[in-house]
Amino acid sequence: ANLQVNNVAQVTYGTTILDMAYDYSTHTMYALGYTTLNMYFSYVYLYKIDLNTGTVNQVGTKQITGTRTSLSVSTLACDLEGNLYCVERGNAFAELYKIELVDGEPVCTCIGNTGFGSANTNLSSMAFDHNTETLYWANCYNYGMSDSPENYQHSLIRLDLTTGEGTELGQIEGFETVGLYIPYDRAGTTEQVC
């Protein structure tokens, strides 16, 4: 079969989509996008994506920030109740956050320390297993001063939604994971999600 890819929409120039998550409770596709200001600072915003038109709209006017880093957050996942979660970027002991909309603005609330690192330059991804309501994170962190593979931790981690604590399930080859997804059988629904 031939795969055809069409560019249906463009995010603000200079914005990189970091991760995406689908909210089954509101039928909304969310994305995190970031714009780099310099080597140390970037802004991350929450977006809604119209799956019919590809239109990308920023949610609120404020950037999404964690509590300890100027590098913000990097991953996105959504449970079946519509709760959004993310992990901070650029910290050797990254924190798990819950994103809530307060007066139309995304606000991060810290759940707890994962015990694992999250790089500011490499992509990582999160996804829920909706069959078990378990949150998984594919992290990436460089513990050394070079890009040598032995300096990287790239693992599949199960995250506790109450404490934020991570449990390493195994190593992943390579440096990054983009678009982590776990199939979910929505028995009894006719909804189609891309």
Side-chain angles (χ1 to χ4, degrees):
N2 293 329
L3 176 65
Q4 182 178 356
V5 178
N6 296 317
N7 183 12
V8 294
Q10 182 174 345
V11 183
T12 306
Y13 177 77
T15 299
T16 301
I17 296 295
L18 297 171
D19 208 358
M20 297 170 64
Y22 187 74
D23 179 356
Y24 288 97
S25 71
T26 62
H27 311 294
T28 304
M29 179 66 80
Y30 286 100
L32 286 181
Y34 95 164
T35 301
T36 301
L37 301 178
N38 58 42
M39 185 175 161
Y40 303 102
F41 295 97
S42 61
Y43 291 139
V44 173
Y45 296 97
L46 183 65
Y47 295 92
K48 287 183 180 180
I49 300 173
D50 184 311
L51 293 178
N52 294 315
T53 65
T55 304
V56 179
N57 293 304
Q58 186 174 312
V59 177
T61 59
K62 297 179 182 176
Q63 65 173 320
I64 299 175
T65 59
T67 57
R68 304 180 307 167
T69 178
S70 61
L71 297 169
S72 198
V73 298
S74 66
T75 60
L76 189 64
C78 188
D79 66 18
L80 287 175
E81 287 75 44
N83 298 304
L84 294 169
Y85 298 88
C86 61
V87 172
E88 75 177 322
R89 297 175 60 227
N91 197 299
F93 297 96
E95 292 180 334
L96 175 66
Y97 296 101
K98 183 176 182 180
I99 301 174
E100 299 176 284
L101 294 180
V102 178
D103 297 325
E105 298 290 344
V107 176
C108 284
T109 303
C110 181
I111 294 173
N113 193 304
T114 65
F116 293 90
S118 179
N120 65 339
T121 56
N122 294 88
L123 296 176
S124 60
S125 186
M126 286 194 327
F128 265 96
D129 180 345
H130 293 301
N131 302 295
T132 63
E133 279 306 296
T134 304
L135 180 59
Y136 294 97
W137 171 38
N139 83 323
C140 181
Y141 190 75
N142 184 345
Y143 286 96
M145 297 304 289
S146 74
D147 283 336
S148 177
E150 61 266 7
N151 292 332
Y152 277 86
Q153 176 194 26
H154 185 205
S155 302
L156 183 63
I157 298 164
R158 182 178 55 238
L159 296 174
D160 185 299
L161 294 175
T162 304
T163 66
E165 182 179 359
T167 302
E168 183 178 29
L169 302 176
Q171 294 287 313
I172 302 172
E173 242 182 80
F175 295 105
E176 299 177 314
T177 298
V178 180
L180 184 63
Y181 176 76
I182 299 167
Y184 172 56
D185 182 9
R186 299 174 315 277
T189 183
T190 59
E191 177 184 9
Q192 179 67 35
V193 179
C194 299

